[in-house]
Amino acid sequence: MDRISELPDFTIHHIMSYLSAKEVAQTCVMSHKWYNFYVSFPIFDFHEPYKWFVGDLANKNPERFCKNETIRFRKRLHRFTEFVDAFLVRFSNLKLCMLKFRLLIGLLDVEASSLLDKWIGLAVKNEVKELDLDVQTDKNALYTLPWIIFSAASVNALKLEGCKLEQIPETIRFYSLKSLILKKVFIKEEIVQKLTNQCPLLEDFSLDCFWGLRHISIVKSHKLKLCSILEPVDELKSIKVAAPSLQQLVIIGGVCRSIVIDVAECSNLKVLKLNAINLIDQEFHRLMSKFSMLEDLEVTLCALLEKIMISSDQLKKLRISYCIKLKEIEIDTPNLLSLHYWNHPIVTSKVNAPCPWTLNFINAVDELGNNIDSDVQWFLNMKQFLGASNQIKLLFIYVKSKRDSFNLEEFRNSLSSLPCEVEKLWLLLDAPPSSFAALLDGLLGIGYPREFFVLIKHEVHHNFVEWLYKEMMNRDYNCCNSLNIKCWRHYLKDFKIKGFHFLPPIDSPSLKGKSLDVNAVMDLWPKLPNGILQCRLEWCYPDSLE
């Protein structure tokens, strides 16, 4: 007995919603009844079918492909448009509601444009709930939307890519719209205002890679919760968002962007992510003073920031990354759950954050943007920075030096405290092999890791495993008897090489997906590709570390 076929239509359609477009199409061959389920299926996903018909080349590089059109491609595109058109017309004649219409199409010409207008009209006529339109074309041939789309009162999620929004009706009827995502679009300032003002239920608004805007103003969107302004192509001057209900704001400005940000009326903001925006210290601190409810903060590639001050009992997550001019941070966040810091170590830091830290230390840069070699002061800055933490979860250190710039004796004489405990230490070593021994002593003078990972480049790390093993097994305790702070050799109980992990791509099928033990690493070392060497260390900590 075929019990599945006896289920109600809406239940079978719900089951089919978990299948891919290809799998849904395959169900129609099971029986005449299942063919009816297929043709009445209210979810239309023409993303994958487009690839089947026209191939991956157009999808990967549509601009290049449009310039090199072939008869074969046009025939395939014609077959695809006939397939979509027949499917939509057949469904429209059933007079059923459409749950989703998702379409990827490229090589837009006059014929395809008129068909798109027709398909959008059919979707609106059938009260589509979710509309996702991706037109693969270049900047100068964007698809102009038909006005009928702005009367889609039933649509609750709208995503448009490769379209032009230059003129729209005076009144729009997006009465049910909750999510509006616009990507690679040309759009004018008044259109943004109209869309956000006349969508009473709008909760999620996103602009990504857009043209035509110098100022963005969102001031009457009373239910807006999520807002993203990402990578404007033209020079964006200002962003103003006045939405008391806003909970998350993400702004990615691109390279060298100075944007005036006014979000003073978003007092309930919980998530703020700023990327590639040239905020000066005063602007950043004035911005932060407005958000007493903030729980998640990311500051990335803000090239003008020199000092970051954050004091919050509410903040739970904090990420500071690649702010190249940063010289000082003061963080008082007693309830922070995670701290991620990816930057050069700075001299002046006061951090009250009793949570696991994830740190990525990179070289500082000079005024011209050139990397400064990893010298003694760079190591001392790292040690001072780590001293404020009681739990280093992950420490990634990129040591980059063109010469032997690290003086181990000077470093040892400058030490005034023992290293801290580190759960995992990742090391990328880009320095002359002659400096490896001194740099290893310097790194283990900063922290005692339980697990030690080294990213291996064979053109640099000749015989590295054998050298490292001998170095770690060296128990010459006379190396630092005259110093108050003893080196790591006095406290290391055991050292083991746990294995070698390959980095993709791996040419040899016999090695793909494998990790090697220490014996295999030693035997195969000259033949191994680049990868990650994993080590395990056990320590007998001095009293001050326990």
Side-chain angles (χ1 to χ4, degrees):
M1 181 180 294
D2 181 6
R3 295 187 177 183
I4 294 180
S5 297
E6 299 303 320
L7 292 171
D9 289 6
F10 70 86
T11 302
I12 294 178
H13 285 156
H14 181 72
I15 295 171
M16 294 170 72
S17 69
Y18 292 94
L19 305 178
S20 67
K22 183 178 181 179
E23 291 169 333
V24 170
Q26 290 171 340
T27 64
C28 70
V29 302
M30 292 192 293
S31 70
H32 179 73
K33 189 168 186 177
W34 275 90
Y35 175 80
N36 292 332
F37 293 141
Y38 168 60
V39 298
S40 63
F41 185 50
I43 297 178
F44 297 85
D45 191 339
F46 298 113
H47 190 277
E48 290 301 318
Y50 176 77
K51 296 179 182 179
W52 304 338
F53 275 94
V54 302
D56 287 333
L57 179 58
N59 185 48
K60 290 178 180 177
N61 197 343
E63 295 183 17
R64 174 174 169 266
F65 197 78
C66 288
K67 296 175 182 178
N68 299 278
E69 297 172 356
T70 63
I71 296 175
R72 181 183 178 189
F73 180 82
R74 282 202 168 274
K75 286 182 178 180
R76 286 184 173 185
L77 180 65
H78 184 68
R79 287 175 56 206
F80 172 72
T81 55
E82 283 187 333
F83 167 72
V84 175
D85 191 59
F87 215 96
L88 289 175
V89 170
R90 183 169 57 223
F91 181 85
S92 181
N93 291 334
L94 297 176
K95 298 182 179 179
L96 299 173
C97 290
M98 186 182 296
L99 295 182
K100 180 178 180 179
F101 178 36
R102 182 175 181 234
L103 173 68
L104 168 68
I105 191 168
L107 198 65
L108 187 64
D109 56 17
V110 176
E111 180 183 359
S113 179
S114 61
L115 278 173
L116 271 177
D117 293 351
K118 175 184 176 182
W119 297 342
I120 291 173
L122 290 175
V124 173
K125 177 183 176 182
N126 286 272
E127 299 181 351
V128 63
K129 304 296 183 185
E130 182 178 342
L131 179 57
D132 183 345
L133 179 62
D134 183 351
V135 182
Q136 296 281 312
T137 184
D138 59 41
K139 179 181 177 180
N140 299 317
L142 297 177
Y143 170 60
T144 301
L145 290 166
W147 279 20
I148 191 172
I149 195 173
F150 300 102
S151 64
S154 60
V155 68
N156 55 49
L158 177 61
K159 182 179 179 181
L160 303 173
E161 181 171 348
C163 300
K164 182 185 294 187
L165 290 87
E166 193 170 14
Q167 292 182 341
I168 64 174
E170 192 63 32
T171 301
I172 60 179
R173 299 175 182 175
F174 288 148
Y175 303 139
S176 304
L177 191 65
K178 292 185 177 182
S179 175
L180 176 59
I181 299 174
L182 306 175
K183 184 175 182 180
K184 294 181 182 178
V185 297
F186 176 87
I187 188 169
K188 290 188 174 181
E189 296 168 19
E190 57 269 23
I191 306 299
V192 173
Q193 293 184 28
K194 188 175 292 186
L195 286 171
T196 55
N197 293 351
Q198 296 188 25
C199 299
L201 301 182
L202 188 64
E203 296 180 355
D204 183 1
F205 177 65
S206 176
L207 273 171
D208 185 356
C209 189
F210 52 92
W211 301 270
L213 290 177
R214 289 187 175 271
H215 305 277
I216 295 176
S217 180
I218 304 171
V219 295
K220 293 183 180 180
S221 190
H222 301 295
K223 292 194 175 184
L224 190 66
K225 295 180 180 179
L226 309 175
C227 181
S228 300
I229 311 295
L230 313 175
E231 299 185 2
V233 175
D234 296 332
E235 186 176 1
L236 186 62
K237 296 291 188 180
S238 69
I239 297 173
K240 181 176 182 179
V241 183
S245 59
L246 192 68
Q247 296 183 8
Q248 176 174 304
L249 176 63
V250 179
I251 302 176
I252 300 178
V255 180
C256 299
R257 297 282 187 179
S258 295
I259 303 173
V260 177
I261 301 173
D262 180 3
V263 286
E265 296 183 41
C266 303
S267 55
N268 292 311
L269 196 68
K270 293 185 178 180
V271 179
L272 176 62
K273 299 181 181 182
L274 304 174
N275 189 318
I277 301 173
N278 286 341
L279 291 173
I280 61 175
D281 295 355
Q282 294 86 345
E283 293 171 338
F284 175 77
H285 297 141
R286 183 168 59 250
L287 192 65
M288 293 302 303
S289 67
K290 306 296 182 181
F291 307 129
S292 59
M293 305 297 291
L294 200 63
E295 296 180 358
D296 188 344
L297 173 64
E298 288 189 15
V299 184
T300 304
L301 289 169
C302 292
L304 298 184
L305 282 181
E306 296 185 8
K307 182 177 182 179
I308 290 179
M309 295 189 299
I310 300 169
S311 179
S312 172
D313 292 335
Q314 299 294 321
L315 201 63
K316 302 295 190 299
K317 296 180 180 180
L318 175 61
R319 179 185 292 268
I320 300 172
S321 306
Y322 303 110
C323 299
I324 59 175
K325 289 190 176 181
L326 195 61
K327 298 177 181 177
E328 183 177 352
I329 62 172
E330 293 184 11
I331 300 171
D332 184 15
T333 51
N335 297 312
L336 202 67
L337 299 179
S338 67
L339 171 64
H340 294 252
Y341 180 87
W342 291 25
N343 211 51
H344 59 270
I346 55 180
V347 179
T348 306
S349 60
K350 297 178 182 178
V351 183
N352 175 26
C355 64
W357 290 17
T358 298
L359 306 172
N360 187 328
F361 287 133
I362 57 178
N363 290 63
V365 297
D366 59 23
E367 294 181 354
L368 299 176
N370 299 315
N371 286 316
I372 300 174
D373 282 347
S374 305
D375 56 11
V376 169
Q377 189 58 54
W378 189 74
F379 277 76
L380 292 174
N381 291 348
M382 277 196 290
K383 185 168 175 50
Q384 179 183 343
F385 196 104
L386 297 176
S389 174
N390 57 8
Q391 189 179 0
I392 306 297
K393 180 180 179 181
L394 175 62
L395 176 59
F396 186 101
I397 300 179
Y398 181 17
V399 180
K400 185 173 184 178
S401 295
K402 296 181 180 179
R403 54 189 177 85
D404 293 349
S405 57
F406 178 70
N407 188 314
L408 179 60
E409 184 177 354
E410 180 186 348
F411 175 73
R412 285 177 174 175
N413 291 330
S414 302
L415 293 179
S416 58
S417 62
L418 288 164
C420 64
E421 293 184 55
V422 177
E423 188 173 332
K424 293 182 180 181
L425 171 61
W426 285 74
L427 175 63
L428 176 55
L429 198 55
D430 187 3
S434 58
S435 66
F436 284 0
L439 290 172
L440 178 65
D441 281 0
L443 289 168
L444 296 180
I446 293 172
Y448 290 154
R450 292 187 179 91
E451 289 189 84
F452 184 31
F453 300 83
V454 186
L455 183 60
I456 299 296
K457 294 183 177 180
H458 279 269
E459 60 270 20
V460 177
H461 304 97
H462 303 295
N463 303 317
F464 185 83
V465 172
E466 183 178 356
W467 169 84
L468 181 64
Y469 189 81
K470 290 180 179 178
E471 192 72 20
M472 299 302 288
M473 292 295 102
N474 180 10
R475 292 296 186 267
D476 181 11
Y477 298 127
N478 297 320
C479 59
C480 51
N481 280 339
S482 61
L483 302 176
N484 294 326
I485 305 297
K486 306 302 180 185
C487 75
W488 55 271
R489 291 179 176 86
H490 293 261
Y491 308 111
L492 183 64
K493 288 175 58 179
D494 192 24
F495 171 80
K496 292 181 180 178
I497 295 178
K498 300 292 290 183
F500 187 87
H501 307 279
F502 301 106
L503 294 177
I506 300 171
D507 296 330
S508 173
S510 62
L511 296 178
K512 191 173 183 180
K514 292 185 178 181
S515 296
L516 303 181
D517 60 23
V518 61
N519 293 325
V521 171
M522 293 292 195
D523 294 339
L524 297 174
W525 179 253
K527 301 178 181 179
L528 289 178
N530 294 340
I532 298 170
L533 183 69
Q534 180 183 2
C535 310
R536 180 75 182 177
L537 295 84
E538 292 186 18
W539 301 91
C540 178
Y541 296 119
D543 293 340
S544 59
L545 282 179
E546 293 178 349

